[in-house]
Amino acid sequence: MHRIDGGTMLARRGGGSLTSAEIAESLASNPVLVRRILGRLRDADLVWSTEGRGGGWSLARAPRDITLYDAYAAVEEGRILSRHAHPPSDACEIGRNISAQLEVEFQDAERAMEERLGRTTIAHLLQQVLDAEREPAPPRQTPPDQAPASSL
């Protein structure tokens, strides 16, 4: 999540830069973790950094040109869904066949997620966040078991 949150914060800044400490504070996270993620985003040419006084992190491209999949692929390694760490037993009909069947399902699910993330840009996500901020919060409803007893 930090990879997307940070990118959205940088997009909101409108071309300005933010320090990793500023981003970490907003995310309630550790600046070292934020710098590590930003470093991977920099390696993927999604952000750039400037050192020294007034330095910080900025988007390397327009927010409309960065998808959530770009950010995901820059930071995450390996497959999304875990596979068996140890192959199942060949002595069992399930064990002999389950891995191949799950692999097809997992690959389909991973492709669907990648395609979906590829349709959403940082600009679009920022607009959704800003729209949600402008909407009034729905009234809180008290669960029935915590509602005050009515007097008859």
Side-chain angles (χ1 to χ4, degrees):
M1 288 293 286
H2 290 352
R3 65 201 159 273
I4 295 169
D5 297 348
T8 306
M9 287 178 62
L10 292 171
R12 176 73 170 121
R13 193 65 170 212
S17 63
L18 291 169
T19 67
S20 55
E22 290 171 316
I23 296 169
E25 182 179 341
S26 175
L27 301 175
S29 186
N30 184 310
V32 173
L33 174 63
V34 169
R35 279 192 293 277
R36 187 176 306 135
I37 292 168
L38 288 168
R40 288 186 173 190
L41 295 172
R42 181 187 53 218
D43 293 345
D45 297 323
L46 299 177
V47 300
W48 54 274
S49 62
T50 53
E51 295 182 13
R53 188 168 182 81
W57 297 87
S58 303
L59 292 179
R61 297 188 238 163
R64 70 178 177 279
D65 296 331
I66 301 173
T67 68
L68 300 187
Y69 180 73
D70 294 332
Y72 172 82
V75 175
E76 297 299 327
E77 295 176 359
R79 296 176 172 177
I80 301 163
L81 300 170
S82 64
R83 278 38 174 201
H84 287 287
H86 305 285
S89 171
D90 282 338
C92 169
E93 63 191 8
I94 301 296
R96 278 192 303 275
N97 297 292
I98 194 71
S99 293
Q101 301 308 312
L102 284 176
E103 186 62 29
V104 170
E105 296 299 321
F106 287 179
Q107 286 180 3
D108 285 351
E110 289 168 346
R111 273 192 299 274
M113 187 201 82
E114 291 168 1
E115 188 273 330
R116 179 66 185 98
L117 291 176
R119 290 192 318 233
T120 303
T121 66
I122 294 293
H124 182 246
L125 186 63
L126 174 60
Q127 189 59 56
Q128 288 177 315
V129 167
L130 296 175
D131 290 347
E133 183 65 19
R134 285 190 270 277
E135 291 178 14
R140 293 188 60 189
Q141 296 197 1
T142 306
D145 63 334
Q146 295 177 5
S150 61
S151 56
L152 297 175

